[in-house]
Amino acid sequence: GENVEQHPSTLSVQEGDSAVIKCTYSDSASNYFPWYKQELGKGPQLIIDIRSNVGEKKDQRIAVTLNKTAKHFSLHITETQPEDSAVYFCAVEGSQGNLIFGKGTKLSVKP
Amino acid sequence: KAGVTQTPRYLIKTRGQQVTLSCSPISGHRSVSWYQQTPGQGLQFLFEYFSETQRNKGNFPGRFSGRQFSNSRSEMNVSTLELGDSALYLCASHQFADTQYFGPGTRLTVL
């Protein structure tokens, strides 16, 4: 079945630095790639998503890039702030329409 | 628009009991998906309902079941609870096949 690998599992950066999280997937038929942010005690919150007909998408300090040939996509957060500290999950739409998630990256932004 | 609501937020049960969790999707959304989140397995797809019909199902035993009502509200039931069923159960609301919005989850603890 579809498999999603996410790296790194933990990431610590200084406030103002950039953070990059990478995911690879196995099913070349996948066409939808969302990213979620989960804060303690809350459900995952959609922060950005990208579809296979687009290579890059930006929303203020957040960007996602997609390389369908290599089957990987990345989340880029620039000018990180303490409130960016959370667990980030990448996901891929599976053949059934469900989301298949990576194991998550715990991002810590030090002031 | 109100977001996805899940009740109850916390539950404590003992082994062998059964439990019912509830999810109210975003107004206008007709699809509800359920996921189980544990530290070891991460986020895993349980099942999806659309217009009162189960459309997809993940790889969970038959003790896990669900249903959807005509107002799109959904319930999931777990019978004969096991210790390993302790998890955060998340409901996602979606209008189309891909963009899913999560509720805060129900934290189930099985003793």
Side-chain angles (χ1 to χ4, degrees), chain B residues 36-78:
Chain B
Q36 181 196 64
Q37 185 176 27
T38 59
Q41 298 300 316
L43 281 146
Q44 293 185 290
F45 172 69
L46 281 157
F47 29 64
E48 177 195 353
Y49 285 87
F50 173 78
S51 291
E52 302 178 62
T53 301
Q54 186 180 90
R55 190 159 68 171
N56 294 309
K57 189 178 190 303
N59 189 26
F60 277 82
R63 299 186 297 107
F64 292 82
S65 63
R67 59 177 176 169
Q68 187 180 31
F69 302 94
S70 58
N71 62 356
S72 294
R73 189 178 70 85
S74 177
E75 289 181 347
M76 68 162 283
N77 182 276
V78 188

Side-chain angles (χ1 to χ4, degrees), chain A residues 32 34 36 38 41-46 49 51 89 93 96-103, chain B residues 9 35 37 40-43 45 48 56-58 88 90 97-104:
Chain A
Y32 177 64
Y36 288 87
Q38 187 173 27
K42 297 184 178 180
Q45 176 192 3
L46 179 72
D49 56 11
R51 302 178 196 280
F89 292 94
E93 184 184 33
Q96 294 179 297
N98 57 296
L99 294 178
I100 301 163
F101 287 85
K103 293 294 188 185
Chain B
R9 292 294 311 278
Y35 293 82
Q37 185 176 27
Q41 298 300 316
L43 281 146
F45 172 69
E48 177 195 353
N56 294 309
K57 189 178 190 303
L88 181 67
L90 292 158
D98 45 21
T99 307
Q100 299 192 17
Y101 300 93
F102 285 84

Side-chain angles (χ1 to χ4, degrees), chain A residues 44-62:
Chain A
Q45 176 192 3
L46 179 72
I47 55 172
I48 196 166
D49 56 11
I50 192 167
R51 302 178 196 280
S52 61
N53 58 344
V54 176
E56 183 177 3
K57 183 177 178 180
K58 287 184 180 180
D59 183 3
Q60 299 182 0
R61 297 185 297 109
I62 293 173

